[in-house]
Structure formats: structure tokens, C-alpha cells
Amino acid sequence: MAEHDEDARWALPARALSGVLAAAVTLGVGELVAAVIDTSASPFFAVGSTTVDRSPSWAREFAIDTFGTNDKPALFAGMSILIVVLSAIAGLVERTHRPYGSAILLALGVVGVYAATSRPGASAAYAIPTIVGVTAGIVVLRVLTRRFRAIGDAGTAGEGMSRRRFLVLAGTAAAVAVAAGAVGRHLAETVADAVRNRMGFVLPTVAAADRAPTIPPGADVGVAGATTFATPNDVFYRIDTALQVPKLTTDEWCLRIHGMVDREITLRWDDLVARTPIERAVTLTCVSNEVGGNLAGNATWIGYPMRDLLDEVGVSADADMLLSTSSDGFTSGTPLAALLDGRDAILAVTMNGEPLPFEHGYPVRQVVPGLYGYVSATKWVVDWEITRFDRAQAYWTRRGWAEQAPIKTASRIDVPASFARVDAGTVTVAGTAWAQHRGISRVEVRVDDGPWRTATLAPEYSIDTWRQWTWQWQASPGTHTLQVRATDAAGEVQTEDRADPIPDGATGWHTRSVTVG
Ligand SMILES: Nc1nc2c(c(=O)[nH]1)N[C@H]1C(S)=C(S)[C@@H](COP(=O)(O)O)O[C@H]1N2
Ligand SMILES: [Mo]
């Protein structure tokens, strides 16, 4: 009897583990099969992507506020915890109420199939990775949850399994899950073709007159911790809805231009690079950037003017929107007026002297000075529909964000750092300010609500880029509050009124507390 109790105690964790292993096999096998069919058919990533796409705006705001650019790892962690809990329950239930544990796995499979087959560009085949994965998972669950043989019964053949046999089977299931998952992820991630294609990318030659001006040494204020004028690619902020970065080759890429145009065309890579490129530095900003936040970056891009293409297809006078779509189904709605008013809106193919990183849109993305990214900066862009704002809605507009979203004037204190302690005397305060496509004409700093003092501006590079500034502060001991505000080139002072990022960008003055000791 004692032996029997001991066995039962051991059985519960073993049952829960069986469920978790069954789920792991489901996901691992699903990953492997998806690598063969299409990486976006992966059950795990399909459910994740669908969650991202279907989540309400407040959930997105909460995720970005709480996790910043770690919002994806946070989503994956949340999904993993949920899967572990549900599958452990499936393991426990399968032993006592067979086949309800299998039914839980099956239900998760239905969610996976639904998510996979509703991905952009999905076919019925997108269901296969989940179906194969769930089938394998249910087999594992049934095998591992067979009855244990009571201790001392070792001699009786056919009556349940021994602990040793369970451990061997469980170990095998774990190994299969890990191996299938690792191979699947590896195949998906390298996506060898696209990586090779990007490595062989030939940078376009830009005529001397179309090159970006050289960055003057003064554009960087040379203060440790201050924002650099040029943002290196590896630290450039990344915001998108893609859980798996699209990996297109230049051969696969094409841009279909259709809708309210005289001539529909499909532009292939060779057609694009036969055009005349220009090179420009442009500062991108995300509408989700909070006051004082760092969802902005400045790069030098080479690309092909969007206006030339629009002129070529002949845009109808009634149209007012360019609805651009990425290969993974994201859309943005850009006012045609902004694309035709002479600003340097381009289909960019390079970023800071290298082919676009995959994360930033390889092989082709839009860069439009003066507009927040969600209404203009479509990465992996493959489709342009010329339409009207009263006929079409883009991804974030459907989720409560504004149709029109010019970048608001903003300024930020970078140095001293948040809650820094500095020595009394002369303290260098430094930061950045932006008002893309209008330009920054002044930055002012004040201490403890005192009078505004004019900061020293770095030379203006262009109205489409941010402008760094410094201010020498005669700091007295104590805790002080620093505040900054910028004025754009039209003389409009940055508003003090606090607004949230949603629906069209945060406002308010950046404030920082500093202890002088
Ligand atoms: N395909 C695609 N393009 C996209 C997005 C996206 O989710 N998918 N996000 C946009 C948003 S909200 C911003 S702020 C910019 C960010 O560009 P970056 O990641 O290169 O900094 O990309 C834009 N382009
Ligand atoms: Mo954004």
C-alpha cells in the first residue's frame, strides 16, 4: 500500500510533464514542417502574429509602455506560460478522463489552424504544420499517460509501464521536440536565399549632385551620452508587427502599383534600380514615442523618389491616399499631397551605406520626411494602391490611430542622465530636438521653472533631420528640475500640453530631475 501511495505521488508531476512534452513536440514538429511549407505557417508564430494583429490599441500601448522594444519577448513569454499551464492540465486530465486531455491539445490545434490560415497570403497548406504537430503531440500524450505499473509488479507483463520506461519515453519526446524545433527555427531564420541575396547586393551609384551633404563635424556635440547625429543600424529603433522578419530576395520582390491610376504597372527589381537614385539623411520617428522617449533614429538612405513613380502611373485627381502594403500584410496610408509636394520621399534600398537590414525592410522600404512611421515608412513594401482616405483604412487607423500624422515638434534631454548626480559648477546639458520637414530654429532650457535660457544649436543639417543642442548650466547644490522645449522654423513653440501617443503622437515638455552634490 505504501508503495502504491509513493507511486501516485510520483504520478502527478509525471502526468503534468507528459502534457508539457506533448505540447513541446507539437510546437517543435510544427516549426519543422512550417520551415518546409512557409515560415509564417508556424503554429506558435501564427498565433502570436494573430494576437498582435487582433489586440486592441490599449493592449498595444500597454505592451509598448511596459516592455518597450521587448514587447515581442514579453508576448512569447506570455504565450509559453499559457501553453505550459494548459498542456500540464491536459496531461493530468488525459490519465483520469481520457480523452479530454487530447481534446485540449486538439482545441489548441484548432486555434493554431485558424491563426495560420488567416495569415496574409495563407493557403490551405498553412494548416499542415499545426495538424502534423498536434497529431504527433497527441500520440506522445497517449503513450506517456499510460498507466504506471505498481512497484513490485515488475514481473507481470503488459500491465502498464515502469518508471524507467516512462523516463526513456519522456526523454525521447523531449529530444524530438528540441531537435525538430531547433532545425525548423534554423531553416526559417537563415532563409539562406535571402541572406545570400543581401550579401551580393550592389550599392547603387549616386550622382555627385544627388548625394547627401557630408555631415559637418559640429552636427555631433561631442558630449558623452548625447544622441549622435547618425544612428548606427544596429542600435536604430525597430517597430513593426512582424514576429518573423520577412526575408525576400530582390528577385522575389516586386511592387504592384494599381487603383486610381492611368496605367497600372508592376515594378521589378531591375526596373527599380534602372532609375536615378538620390541619397538623403532623414530622421524617422514612431508615433508611440513618449515624451523623452527614444523611438527615433537618423540614417542616410539611398532610394528612388516616390514622386517619379506616381507621375509615371498617372494619379487620378480624385485620389488622396497611397495605401502601401508590406509582404506580411501591414498597411499604411500616406497622403498623396505629402508625396507630391517636393519633399524627398523615397523607396529606400540602403541604410547608412549598407543594404537595408532585414529588420529595417530589405530589400525595399519607404522613407518619407515629416510623417510618423505608421503612416509612411512601410518596410518590405510590395503593393501600392492609389485610393482615397474615405475608401480605405490602414493597419493602425483601423485600430484607433489618426489618419493624418505629421511628426510633432519634440525635444529631449539626454545628458545628465535620469536621476544623475553631478558636481556643482558648470554642467553641460545636452540633447536633441526634431520637427521634421519644418526644421528646428531654437531650443530653450529652464531650471526649476525659472526663466527659459537659449541653448546652443548644432549646425542645421537639413529640415528633415534632428538637431542636437547643448547648454552650460551653472549648477548649485540641491535637487533641480531641468526642462526643455523647442521651436520649429515657423516660430511655433512646442506645446506644454501633455498628450498620450494615441491617436497622433505625444506632446509635452521633457522634464528631468538632477541632483547636484
Ligand atoms: N511592414 C511594416 N512596415 C512598417 C511597420 C510595420 O509594422 N510593418 N511599422 C511602421 C512603424 S509604426 C514605424 S515607427 C517604422 C519604424 O521603422 P524602423 O523599424 O526601421 O525604425 O516602420 C513602419 N513600417
Ligand atoms: Mo511607429
Side-chain angles (χ1 to χ4, degrees), residues 60 237 239 285-288 373-374:
R60 175 194 195 238
Y237 81 97
I239 293 286
T285 307
C286 182
V287 69
S288 295
Y374 82 104

Side-chain angles (χ1 to χ4, degrees), residues 233-418:
N233 291 353
D234 57 350
V235 297
F236 205 98
Y237 81 97
R238 173 187 165 203
I239 293 286
D240 55 62
T241 58
L243 294 187
Q244 300 188 84
V245 176
K247 298 266 168 66
L248 293 176
T249 65
T250 51
D251 298 333
E252 287 161 339
W253 179 85
C254 67
L255 177 67
R256 182 170 161 245
I257 309 179
H258 59 109
M260 299 168 73
V261 296
D262 297 335
R263 292 165 294 279
E264 304 202 336
I265 62 168
T266 296
L267 199 70
R268 305 211 59 92
W269 178 256
D270 289 343
D271 308 325
L272 180 69
V273 297
R275 313 175 73 85
T276 306
I278 62 172
E279 182 188 44
R280 294 289 184 269
V282 176
T283 303
L284 297 188
T285 307
C286 182
V287 69
S288 295
N289 193 53
E290 300 278 356
V291 170
N294 56 9
L295 297 180
N298 183 51
T300 299
W301 317 86
I302 295 176
Y304 302 87
M306 291 169 69
R307 183 186 179 155
D308 293 354
L309 274 170
L310 294 170
D311 288 345
E312 205 170 296
V313 296
V315 169
S316 152
D318 287 342
D320 61 6
M321 177 210 229
L322 166 66
L323 183 71
S324 55
T325 306
S326 68
S327 64
D328 66 335
F330 168 86
T331 54
S332 85
T334 312
L336 283 170
L339 300 173
L340 299 172
D341 70 2
R343 75 183 74 194
D344 295 318
I346 54 174
L347 279 175
V349 297
T350 78
M351 182 177 185
N352 291 326
E354 50 169 293
L356 290 175
F358 287 112
E359 294 77 11
H360 294 287
Y362 186 83
V364 184
R365 73 163 310 160
Q366 295 173 190
V367 170
V368 181
L371 304 182
Y372 284 119
Y374 82 104
V375 291
S376 69
T378 307
K379 306 188 272 191
W380 317 289
V381 60
V382 293
D383 190 282
W384 277 8
E385 183 186 349
I386 310 302
T387 179
R388 296 176 49 90
F389 279 97
D390 59 15
R391 285 188 201 162
Q393 266 198 320
Y395 191 97
W396 287 117
T397 342
R398 244 181 271 135
R399 292 160 173 81
W401 296 74
E403 259 175 15
Q404 304 286 333
I407 298 174
K408 296 177 179 176
T409 303
S411 53
R412 178 176 84 202
I413 300 165
D414 295 325
V415 180
S418 213

Side-chain angles (χ1 to χ4, degrees), residues 15-33:
R15 300 312 182 199
L17 177 67
S18 304
V20 174
L21 286 173
V25 167
T26 300
L27 293 177
V29 169
E31 214 56 46
L32 184 59
V33 178

